[in-house]
Each structure stands twice: as C-alpha cells, then as structure tokens.
Amino acid sequence: MPEAVAILQRTPAVLDSLLRGLPDGWIAAHEGDQTWSPFDVVGHLIHGERTDWIPRARLILEHGEARPFDTFDRFAQFAASEGRTRASLLDEFAALRAKSLDELAALGLTDVDLDRRGRHPALGVVTLRQLLATWVAHDLDHVVQISRVLARQYSDEVGPWRAYLRIVSGTQG
Amino acid sequence: MPEAVAILQRTPAVLDSLLRGLPDGWIAAHEGDQTWSPFDVVGHLIHGERTDWIPRARLILEHGEARPFDTFDRFAQFAASEGRTRASLLDEFAALRAKSLDELAALGLTDVDLDRRGRHPALGVVTLRQLLATWVAHDLDHVVQISRVLARQYSDEVGPWRAYLRIVSGTQG
C-alpha cells in the first residue's frame, strides 16, 4: 500500500510538470482518429477520480459481490472538458487526487479488507487489492500514452533515428 | 524549435516529480535481464547530455559530414552511476540539461543551420534538425520506459484488469 500510494500521489505533479505551459499544439496532439490528446487524458483521469477508484472501493466494502460496479464511461471527458482550460483541468485533477488519497487513508484498509471481492460488470469478480493495483498501473499507462503521443509528433522529423526510437517505430514502449 | 525546447526543458522536472522520494523498490525495478531500471535511465540521460546532443550539434556545425559522430556508449551509466544516489543523479541531469539548453540558445541556429548535415557512425547522413527532433523523442521514449517499468511491477497484482491495461498486457504503449 505505501508503494502504491507513492505513485498515486505523484501523478498530478508529473502531468503538471509535463503539460502546464506546453505550447498548445502539443496538448491537442493525438495519434489519429479516435485517439486521445493529452488534454483528453487529463479529463479522463478526472472522471476516474469522480466515479471509478474510491467509489468502487466503497462499493466493494459495502456491498461485496452483490452489487456490480457502474460501468465506467470512457468518453465522459469529451463533454466534461469542453470549454475548460488545461490549467483548470490539471488543478482539478490534483485536488481530486488529494481528496481520493485522504479518503483512502481514512478507510484504514486491513489485509482482510484488501482481499474483499467486488464485481466488475465485464471482468467479473475482482478484489479491492486488484482495484488499487489497477489504479496505479492505470496512472502510469496514461503517462505512457501522453508521452507516446507527444513523441510521435516527431515520427518524421527524427529521420534515420526512427530505427532507434522504439516509441516512434512502435516496436515496443 | 520553441516547441522542441518546451519539451526538453520539462524533462528534468517530470523525472523529478516521478522519482524523487519514491520507495527504493520502484527505482531499482526493471523488466528482466538486460533491461534498465529508472535509476539506470537517469544515468543514461546524463551521459547523453555530456556526450551526445550538444557535442554532436557542434560537430555538425564545425565539421559537417567530414567527421562522423563518436559512437554513443549505451552502457556508460552502469559504471558512472555506481555508488551515486538517485537524488544526486536527478540534480545532475537537471543542471546538465539547463546548461545544454543555454548552449543551444547561444548557437542561435538558423533554418540553414538546421539543414546542415553530419554523419552518424551507423545511420549515415543526418541533419541537425533530425538530431534535435531525436533529442525530444528520446526524452519522451525514456519517460515511457520508466513509466512502463514501474507499471509492470503490478502485472500480476492487477488481476483481471490486465486485459484493459495496454501497458501491462504489452499490446501497445
């Protein structure tokens, strides 16, 4: 748990360091139709704080497998972020994450709690421990995604070095 | 150029936000034999500041294609980082990067300069513009690598969510 929280509490600052003040072209960059820009990803992370991680943890503790999680809306940010500034999204994500971690600490989870089971609407039975591990990996997955989207804006510009840059060539990472 | 510099100047803070103070287990984590930990990657980036980006830019401006770049030592960090603390590596990377960007600004590169050609020992003819684009993509490639290495420490812990996490399943990102 302390290891997991160490990542979770850093993600807002990581995104802030990377995205705040970055020229607008980078923020709107994406990988083609139906892919997300860094701006979209921050909105997605905000929606996760509001509806996914802590709400699902509470559902597991209160209802176990009896009540499945609500389906997560992967597209909520397109409406929710409309007209918002990047700075306001970064601020909101940081505030919501701090609140989530306060709530997590207040739950005072024991090892027994972490083994409690809930029901994912598509994946079936999951444990609270798996939910928290997924929260961490999901953060990092989106740091990867944002970095990859930014790097791929230079896919052509790097010329022959394309062969050495796994992020550009797509061979890995 | 301003877009490229905007990324380059942010990388030290991104890595600092993610890695400083993170529990030791995360910093030494890797993806198996012959793969790099976050600690190794910071050392590799330091070596790039010392021997790759600005030195190669100067070589292009001064010698063009006549003198190939020195081969970059991808393993230099294993000796150079030995016994160093993570904090000192992060500090050194930040200081070297700031110096590199000062030197880049002092070069006052024109569009004609950016089209100047040099010779990579393996890839052949490259332009200064390609070198600078590669510097940016290389930074982001290693932010991806570090985030991926960290996330994959939870490959088993996420349970059924593995199917949704591209960073863990390895399908992309």
Side-chain angles (χ1 to χ4, degrees):
Chain A
M1 279 289 291
E3 278 74 20
V5 169
I7 297 285
L8 294 172
Q9 68 192 11
R10 280 168 172 76
T11 307
V14 171
L15 296 182
D16 207 279
S17 303
L18 182 56
L19 300 178
R20 194 178 295 259
L22 203 61
D24 288 344
W26 288 116
I27 299 302
H30 55 75
E31 298 170 286
D33 204 26
Q34 306 288 324
T35 64
W36 295 0
S37 69
F39 184 85
D40 297 331
V41 173
V42 179
H44 166 73
L45 292 170
I46 286 173
H47 193 65
E49 296 306 302
R50 290 198 185 287
T51 70
D52 190 334
W53 311 110
I54 292 292
R56 286 182 171 187
R58 291 194 192 284
L59 206 62
I60 291 175
L61 292 170
E62 289 165 22
H63 299 281
E65 299 175 49
R67 200 203 287 184
F69 306 148
D70 292 335
T71 301
F72 183 79
D73 182 355
R74 291 185 64 252
F75 303 99
Q77 70 274 12
F78 294 108
S81 298
E82 206 176 324
R84 298 280 304 273
T85 65
R86 174 196 341 174
S88 82
L89 293 182
L90 289 168
D91 290 342
E92 183 176 8
F93 176 53
L96 288 172
R97 173 56 57 89
K99 181 163 163 280
S100 295
L101 293 179
D102 284 348
E103 290 175 6
L104 180 67
L107 291 174
L109 297 175
T110 64
D111 263 353
V112 171
D113 290 330
L114 291 171
D115 287 330
R116 285 186 202 278
R117 296 156 153 227
R119 185 172 298 277
H120 187 284
L123 298 171
V125 173
V126 292
T127 67
L128 180 50
R129 195 187 302 276
Q130 290 166 342
L131 175 71
L132 299 182
T134 301
W135 193 3
V136 172
H138 179 268
D139 268 21
L140 293 164
D141 205 350
H142 286 295
V143 174
V144 165
Q145 179 185 26
I146 288 173
S147 306
R148 186 185 67 225
V149 169
L150 296 176
R152 288 186 175 166
Q153 304 311 304
Y154 280 3
S155 292
D156 294 332
E157 283 75 1
V158 299
W161 269 289
R162 182 184 179 91
Y164 287 1
L165 291 162
R166 296 179 303 176
I167 200 173
V168 171
S169 66
T171 50
Q172 196 192 359
Chain B
M1 278 289 292
E3 278 73 19
V5 169
I7 296 286
L8 293 173
Q9 68 192 11
R10 280 168 171 76
T11 306
V14 171
L15 296 182
D16 206 281
S17 303
L18 182 56
L19 301 178
R20 194 177 295 259
L22 203 61
D24 289 344
W26 288 117
I27 298 302
H30 55 75
E31 297 170 287
D33 204 27
Q34 306 287 324
T35 64
W36 295 0
S37 69
F39 184 85
D40 298 330
V41 173
V42 179
H44 166 74
L45 291 170
I46 286 172
H47 193 65
E49 296 306 302
R50 290 199 184 286
T51 70
D52 191 333
W53 312 110
I54 292 293
R56 287 182 170 186
R58 290 193 192 284
L59 207 63
I60 292 174
L61 292 171
E62 289 165 22
H63 299 281
E65 299 175 51
R67 200 201 287 184
F69 306 148
D70 292 335
T71 301
F72 183 78
D73 182 355
R74 290 185 66 251
F75 303 99
Q77 69 276 11
F78 293 108
S81 297
E82 207 177 322
R84 298 279 305 272
T85 65
R86 175 197 338 176
S88 82
L89 293 182
L90 290 168
D91 290 342
E92 184 177 6
F93 175 54
L96 288 172
R97 174 56 59 89
K99 180 163 163 279
S100 296
L101 293 178
D102 284 347
E103 290 175 7
L104 180 68
L107 291 175
L109 298 175
T110 63
D111 263 352
V112 172
D113 290 331
L114 291 172
D115 287 330
R116 285 186 203 279
R117 295 157 153 227
R119 184 172 298 276
H120 186 283
L123 299 171
V125 173
V126 292
T127 67
L128 180 50
R129 193 187 303 276
Q130 289 166 344
L131 176 71
L132 299 180
T134 301
W135 193 2
V136 172
H138 178 268
D139 268 20
L140 293 164
D141 205 350
H142 286 294
V143 173
V144 165
Q145 179 184 24
I146 288 173
S147 306
R148 186 185 68 225
V149 168
L150 296 176
R152 287 186 176 167
Q153 304 310 305
Y154 280 3
S155 292
D156 294 332
E157 282 76 1
V158 300
W161 269 290
R162 183 183 177 91
Y164 288 1
L165 292 162
R166 295 179 302 175
I167 200 174
V168 170
S169 64
T171 51
Q172 196 193 0

